[in-house]
Every structure is written in structure tokens, then in C-alpha cells.
Amino acid sequence: MHLRKTKLYLTLAIGMFMLATLTITVDQLLVFKKAVAVASPSSADEVKIPVLCYHSITDAKKGEYIVSTNELEAQMKSLHEHGYRSISLEQFGELMKGKLKNDGKMVLITFDDGYRDNYTNAYPILSKYGFTATEFLVTSWVGGGSYMTWSEAGELYRAGWDMMSHTRTHPYLPLHKAKGQREEIAGSKQDLEKHLPVPANVIAYPYGLRSAETVNIVAESGYTYAFTFDDGMTTSSQNPYLLKRLFIKGEMDLQGFERKMEY
């Protein structure tokens, strides 16, 4: 009986320890989604621009990170009818530095992960309205499963798209030591520049997660800007390594999309 009770207490103790560990991990992830550096105070000449964040574009399935082709078509048509024009990352940099005048009709369109349907479905729709975009590629996923090939990425690049980094394997960066983070961050930059004639100088954090150490490694690796998954307009007063984006969810109706453009 005594042995049985001992085993029971031990089992309960292990369970409580595992629960505590899980709670700590979840809390850590929540902290890593918050800003880790203080942004500059806003001013009268602050630049504000919508940077749209998409993932998969398909009719084959539904989900928070999946926008249907009809939904994307309606959103791009709305942007076009309201006089918006897409800009490149080079133009984005000029805008943030005050070298390009902001007329309130510029939009930066981004896609995360490198899904092949961005090439087969999103590309034709954006082209129809004269838009280009930025694709944040997970370099080890290129050519596998549901992801575009380097050849397809190259075609998008030649069509005016920017091809940038989303790390090598899409990890929870802050939960890795500095060496592992550097391999993901600097390594993906090397991969991109090996396969495409691009200066890979912009990155998007997987899951939007980062720590102060992550931000430092991104800067040291030669990136100029880094985008988070924090929802909101991008402004020139934000830390250039903690830029916000507008997350476009699956099944968002057109009215919701147009309201988001007015953030």
C-alpha cells in the first residue's frame, strides 16, 4: 500500500512539473510576440503604410491562414478601385527614409512561407491588377510538398516580386541558442543569395516570435528590416526590426478587409 501511494504521488508530481513547464513555455512565447525595443516617438512627418500579410491562397481547404482565390480577387480589385498601387521593398525603404513622398495610396503586399499556390493562384490575380508582392521563403521548404520551387521563385522575381527570408526551417527562434538562431537567420540569407540574384536584406520572423537576442542577430546578419506578426499599420517611427503588418485572415469579408485598410 505504501509503495502504491508513493508511485501515485510521484506520478502527480511529474504531471504538475510538466504542466508548469508547458505554462512557462506558453508564457515565453507570448512575451516573444511583444516588442523588445522601444520605438521612436511619432512625429508630424511620420510615414504610415499598410503592409498586408498573406499565407496560402487556395480553394482546396479553409482556415485562418488560408484565403480563397475569390476573396483575394475581391481584395485586389478593391485596392485597385481605391487607387492603391503596390510597391517594392526598395521603394518601401525610400518611403521609410522620407526619400519617397507618401501619397497614402501605396501598399506593400507580402506572403509568408512560400506556398506554391502563391505562384499558381496569387501571382495571376495580382498581375491582373498590376500588383507585385514580397515572398518570405522558408528556404529548406523550397521545392518540397506544397511549396514553390526555386525556378518558380525565380520567375516571380523576374516579374518584379521581392524574394526574402523567413528563415531556413521556420523555428521558434527565441527558444534556440544564439548559434542556432544565426544558422537560421544568416543561413537563409545565404540560401536565397545562392539561388537568386537578390540581396536578401529583409526577413519576417516565423510566428512573429523574437527576443532581443534575435533582433540583434538579424541586424548583425546584414538585414535592413524585419517584419513581425504584430497586427497594425507599419510606420516610420517603429523600430526597423519590429515592423507591424496587417494579417489578412481566411474568410474575412470584403467589408472587414476594407476596414482593416483604414487602421
mmCIF file of all heavy atoms in Angstrom, residues 189 200-202 217-224 241:
data_model
loop_
_atom_site.group_PDB
_atom_site.id
_atom_site.type_symbol
_atom_site.label_atom_id
_atom_site.label_comp_id
_atom_site.label_asym_id
_atom_site.label_seq_id
_atom_site.Cartn_x
_atom_site.Cartn_y
_atom_site.Cartn_z
ATOM 1 N N LYS A 189 19.600 33.676 -45.556
ATOM 2 C CA LYS A 189 20.097 34.759 -46.414
ATOM 3 C C LYS A 189 21.088 34.201 -47.440
ATOM 4 O O LYS A 189 21.016 34.519 -48.631
ATOM 5 C CB LYS A 189 20.756 35.838 -45.549
ATOM 6 C CG LYS A 189 21.390 36.999 -46.312
ATOM 7 C CD LYS A 189 21.942 38.021 -45.327
ATOM 8 C CE LYS A 189 22.785 39.066 -46.022
ATOM 9 N NZ LYS A 189 22.004 39.900 -46.956
ATOM 10 N N ALA A 200 19.416 39.603 -50.177
ATOM 11 C CA ALA A 200 18.369 39.238 -49.213
ATOM 12 C C ALA A 200 18.573 40.049 -47.933
ATOM 13 O O ALA A 200 19.314 39.648 -47.039
ATOM 14 C CB ALA A 200 18.421 37.741 -48.924
ATOM 15 N N ASN A 201 17.905 41.187 -47.854
ATOM 16 C CA ASN A 201 18.137 42.095 -46.734
ATOM 17 C C ASN A 201 16.902 42.386 -45.891
ATOM 18 O O ASN A 201 16.893 43.322 -45.089
ATOM 19 C CB ASN A 201 18.738 43.412 -47.244
ATOM 20 C CG ASN A 201 17.877 44.066 -48.314
ATOM 21 O OD1 ASN A 201 16.773 43.612 -48.594
ATOM 22 N ND2 ASN A 201 18.386 45.124 -48.924
ATOM 23 N N VAL A 202 15.846 41.589 -46.079
ATOM 24 C CA VAL A 202 14.626 41.751 -45.280
ATOM 25 C C VAL A 202 14.163 40.366 -44.829
ATOM 26 O O VAL A 202 14.241 39.399 -45.589
ATOM 27 C CB VAL A 202 13.503 42.456 -46.075
ATOM 28 C CG1 VAL A 202 12.248 42.615 -45.218
ATOM 29 C CG2 VAL A 202 13.978 43.817 -46.576
ATOM 30 N N ILE A 217 20.798 39.529 -33.723
ATOM 31 C CA ILE A 217 21.361 38.617 -34.719
ATOM 32 C C ILE A 217 20.895 39.002 -36.122
ATOM 33 O O ILE A 217 21.659 38.949 -37.084
ATOM 34 C CB ILE A 217 20.988 37.162 -34.393
ATOM 35 C CG1 ILE A 217 21.698 36.718 -33.108
ATOM 36 C CG2 ILE A 217 21.350 36.215 -35.538
ATOM 37 C CD1 ILE A 217 21.245 35.376 -32.579
ATOM 38 N N VAL A 218 19.633 39.401 -36.237
ATOM 39 C CA VAL A 218 19.096 39.841 -37.531
ATOM 40 C C VAL A 218 19.888 41.047 -38.044
ATOM 41 O O VAL A 218 20.294 41.097 -39.208
ATOM 42 C CB VAL A 218 17.598 40.186 -37.405
ATOM 43 C CG1 VAL A 218 17.120 40.981 -38.617
ATOM 44 C CG2 VAL A 218 16.769 38.914 -37.271
ATOM 45 N N ALA A 219 20.126 42.018 -37.167
ATOM 46 C CA ALA A 219 20.885 43.212 -37.557
ATOM 47 C C ALA A 219 22.328 42.841 -37.931
ATOM 48 O O ALA A 219 22.861 43.311 -38.944
ATOM 49 C CB ALA A 219 20.873 44.235 -36.428
ATOM 50 N N GLU A 220 22.941 41.985 -37.128
ATOM 51 C CA GLU A 220 24.329 41.576 -37.378
ATOM 52 C C GLU A 220 24.468 40.767 -38.670
ATOM 53 O O GLU A 220 25.539 40.747 -39.277
ATOM 54 C CB GLU A 220 24.837 40.740 -36.196
ATOM 55 C CG GLU A 220 25.014 41.536 -34.908
ATOM 56 C CD GLU A 220 25.230 40.637 -33.705
ATOM 57 O OE1 GLU A 220 25.231 39.386 -33.887
ATOM 58 O OE2 GLU A 220 25.392 41.163 -32.590
ATOM 59 N N SER A 221 23.397 40.111 -39.078
ATOM 60 C CA SER A 221 23.436 39.259 -40.276
ATOM 61 C C SER A 221 23.263 40.041 -41.567
ATOM 62 O O SER A 221 23.282 39.457 -42.648
ATOM 63 C CB SER A 221 22.352 38.174 -40.173
ATOM 64 O OG SER A 221 22.598 37.330 -39.059
ATOM 65 N N GLY A 222 23.069 41.338 -41.461
ATOM 66 C CA GLY A 222 23.004 42.175 -42.653
ATOM 67 C C GLY A 222 21.614 42.513 -43.147
ATOM 68 O O GLY A 222 21.455 43.001 -44.277
ATOM 69 N N TYR A 223 20.597 42.283 -42.323
ATOM 70 C CA TYR A 223 19.234 42.648 -42.712
ATOM 71 C C TYR A 223 18.969 44.122 -42.385
ATOM 72 O O TYR A 223 19.449 44.642 -41.379
ATOM 73 C CB TYR A 223 18.211 41.771 -41.993
ATOM 74 C CG TYR A 223 18.216 40.327 -42.442
ATOM 75 C CD1 TYR A 223 18.960 39.369 -41.756
ATOM 76 C CD2 TYR A 223 17.486 39.913 -43.549
ATOM 77 C CE1 TYR A 223 18.966 38.036 -42.159
ATOM 78 C CE2 TYR A 223 17.487 38.597 -43.969
ATOM 79 C CZ TYR A 223 18.226 37.665 -43.271
ATOM 80 O OH TYR A 223 18.239 36.344 -43.679
ATOM 81 N N THR A 224 18.196 44.758 -43.239
ATOM 82 C CA THR A 224 17.851 46.171 -43.057
ATOM 83 C C THR A 224 16.529 46.342 -42.321
ATOM 84 O O THR A 224 16.370 47.257 -41.518
ATOM 85 C CB THR A 224 17.748 46.874 -44.426
ATOM 86 O OG1 THR A 224 18.967 46.664 -45.148
ATOM 87 C CG2 THR A 224 17.529 48.367 -44.255
ATOM 88 N N TYR A 241 13.397 46.767 -37.073
ATOM 89 C CA TYR A 241 13.440 45.310 -36.902
ATOM 90 C C TYR A 241 12.216 44.790 -36.153
ATOM 91 O O TYR A 241 12.181 43.641 -35.742
ATOM 92 C CB TYR A 241 14.724 44.909 -36.170
ATOM 93 C CG TYR A 241 15.968 45.249 -36.962
ATOM 94 C CD1 TYR A 241 16.789 46.298 -36.559
ATOM 95 C CD2 TYR A 241 16.289 44.563 -38.124
ATOM 96 C CE1 TYR A 241 17.917 46.636 -37.301
ATOM 97 C CE2 TYR A 241 17.411 44.886 -38.870
ATOM 98 C CZ TYR A 241 18.219 45.927 -38.457
ATOM 99 O OH TYR A 241 19.338 46.254 -39.199
#
